[in-house]
Amino acid sequence: MKNNILYYSVGALLYCPACRKSIADSIIHEDFGTNFSLALCLEDTINDNFVEGAEKALLGSIQQIYESFQSRQFYLPKIFIRVRSPRQITKLTKAFGPSAEIITGYIIPKFSTENANTYIQAIIQANELGAHPFYMMPIYESSCIVNIKERADILYRLKDSLSAIEELVLNIRVGGNDLCHLFGFRRHADESIHRIRPIADIFSDIITVYGMDYVVSGPVWEYYSGVNWKEGLLSEIADDKLCGFTGKTVIHPQQIPVLNRAYQVSRSDFDDARSIINWDMNCQTLVSGSPAKERMNEYKTHQNWAQKILFLAEVFGVKD
């Protein structure tokens, strides 16, 4: 389990096409609030014929945010760039110049055994070029992990590849919509992706392989208006949390406060977690009733859970 709050702090990751010229003003004026991360996408959201223009727009937006931040304070989210290729990482890291200071890292689409080593080397090179760490977040959405016969081997091979830069892997991400696309699936606003068994089985295997060593983020939720969109999002987040995911990709600012409230820690969980982490090790027993006398707390069994709860409480707060 990751023992550092940084890995739990990505939270709601707001996706935006990198060519959107209004994004810099929105960040500078805190239009999206003060508790989210930002992904500027150069991949699937950009027409193949307009990549160069999107790169130029991205460089301009980052420079505008960087220059504004030098003169006034505003909430600066963790900013990630979703790239198309490994060489784009090196190209952009050099092109950002001093403004690379506000880039947290790069998102790697369709992470697979065919491209893993090349992307990892690009991240290593970016860190050699930069004055601060550049993190990566690989997305598991490639068709190669659908095949049941090969899935476990592929997932473990990819994990072995990442071990060389484990501290730079901020989250493992899953491409719910891309995986659904392979089957022709699409869930409605009142349906959780965890009810789609072929997709849920892939998610379960990813959590099994990575969940003890990495923070794994939940899939995108594409509804932001209409009937039951909030209820549907909350229901899927509850499933995400129960199945081992932390945080979620979002595609509209209206989703951010819903996710942030859903990830607030309950008072009972917070009190129990604090009690477990601060256990009196001179005590004869390592098990006792919870502070509210509602359930059993056991130091050896619940310690990892308790540490995660305290990290989440620091990132999202505690609800009474």
Side-chain angles (χ1 to χ4, degrees):
M1 190 191 100
K2 287 298 182 190
N3 196 25
N4 188 314
I5 192 172
L6 174 66
Y7 299 93
Y8 298 87
S9 64
V10 177
L13 180 66
L14 177 64
Y15 257 67
C16 175
C19 60
R20 185 164 295 167
K21 295 181 180 180
S22 62
I23 190 65
D25 284 335
S26 295
I27 296 300
I28 293 166
H29 295 110
E30 297 185 349
D31 291 343
F32 305 146
T34 57
N35 192 8
F36 69 99
S37 298
L38 179 66
L40 297 174
C41 181
L42 288 166
E43 202 228 2
D44 283 350
T45 62
I46 302 298
N47 187 310
D48 294 346
N49 299 318
F50 294 87
V51 175
E52 185 176 347
E55 288 179 341
K56 290 180 180 178
L58 168 67
L59 293 172
S61 295
I62 295 301
Q63 184 65 29
Q64 183 182 346
I65 295 169
Y66 173 75
E67 290 178 355
S68 296
F69 198 67
Q70 307 310 303
S71 58
R72 56 177 286 227
Q73 292 297 302
F74 51 87
Y75 173 74
L76 184 65
K78 293 178 177 64
I79 300 176
F80 301 90
I81 313 302
R82 175 167 167 153
V83 295
R84 286 177 166 243
S85 67
R87 66 179 180 82
Q88 204 171 36
I89 293 175
T90 305
K91 176 184 178 182
L92 291 173
T93 302
K94 292 178 179 178
F96 284 133
S99 67
E101 178 184 323
I102 66 170
I103 303 297
T104 304
Y106 293 95
I107 297 172
I108 312 303
K110 299 170 180 63
F111 192 60
S112 68
T113 52
E114 285 73 29
N115 60 32
N117 288 332
T118 312
Y119 270 118
I120 289 168
Q121 289 306 311
I123 291 295
I124 291 172
Q125 185 177 6
N127 278 277
E128 291 171 348
L129 292 171
H132 76 286
F134 289 103
Y135 294 92
M136 70 177 285
M137 297 198 295
I139 309 179
Y140 287 66
E141 58 187 349
S142 174
S143 60
C144 68
I145 60 173
V146 172
N147 189 320
I148 297 174
K149 291 181 179 180
E150 300 175 358
R151 184 187 305 152
D153 180 58
I154 289 172
L155 291 176
Y156 279 110
R157 283 165 60 192
L158 289 173
K159 187 180 182 186
D160 288 343
S161 298
L162 289 175
S163 63
I165 57 166
E166 181 177 338
E167 291 185 356
L168 294 175
V169 181
L170 206 54
N171 284 180
I172 301 292
R173 308 198 75 84
V174 295
N177 280 357
D178 281 73
L179 292 171
C180 284
H181 164 70
L182 296 172
F183 294 91
F185 298 152
R186 188 177 191 182
R187 66 201 186 279
H188 295 100
D190 59 349
E191 297 170 332
S192 167
I193 198 169
H194 298 279
R195 290 170 53 196
I196 307 174
R197 285 302 302 271
I199 308 302
D201 288 348
I202 296 171
F203 287 174
S204 177
D205 288 345
I206 292 172
I207 292 292
T208 299
V209 174
Y210 292 87
M212 290 186 286
D213 302 298
Y214 294 90
V215 173
V216 186
S217 178
V220 65
W221 178 259
E222 58 188 344
Y223 294 92
Y224 56 87
S225 185
V227 178
N228 292 330
W229 78 268
K230 284 186 182 180
E231 293 81 1
L233 175 55
L234 288 170
S235 177
E236 185 165 288
I237 290 172
D239 288 344
D240 288 346
K241 291 162 67 177
L242 189 61
C243 293
F245 294 97
T246 301
K248 198 170 185 67
T249 300
V250 300
I251 48 81
H252 194 280
Q254 289 186 166
Q255 298 173 333
I256 294 172
V258 178
L259 184 142
N260 286 338
R261 285 194 298 271
Y263 268 94
Q264 285 184 327
V265 172
S266 70
R267 173 58 62 181
S268 60
D269 278 355
F270 179 73
D271 290 343
D272 281 11
R274 198 163 51 175
S275 174
I276 291 164
I277 293 300
N278 295 322
W279 203 284
D280 181 3
M281 300 310 294
N282 293 318
C283 184
Q284 185 177 4
T285 62
L286 295 178
V287 60
S288 73
S290 64
K293 303 304 179 187
E294 294 174 338
R295 57 184 175 182
M296 179 190 76
N297 285 340
E298 187 173 357
Y299 177 77
K300 290 185 177 180
T301 301
H302 298 130
Q303 187 179 18
N304 285 346
W305 170 85
Q307 184 60 76
K308 180 180 177 180
I309 288 296
L310 294 182
F311 285 145
L312 293 176
E314 190 167 344
V315 173
F316 297 101
V318 179
K319 56 185 175 185
D320 290 315

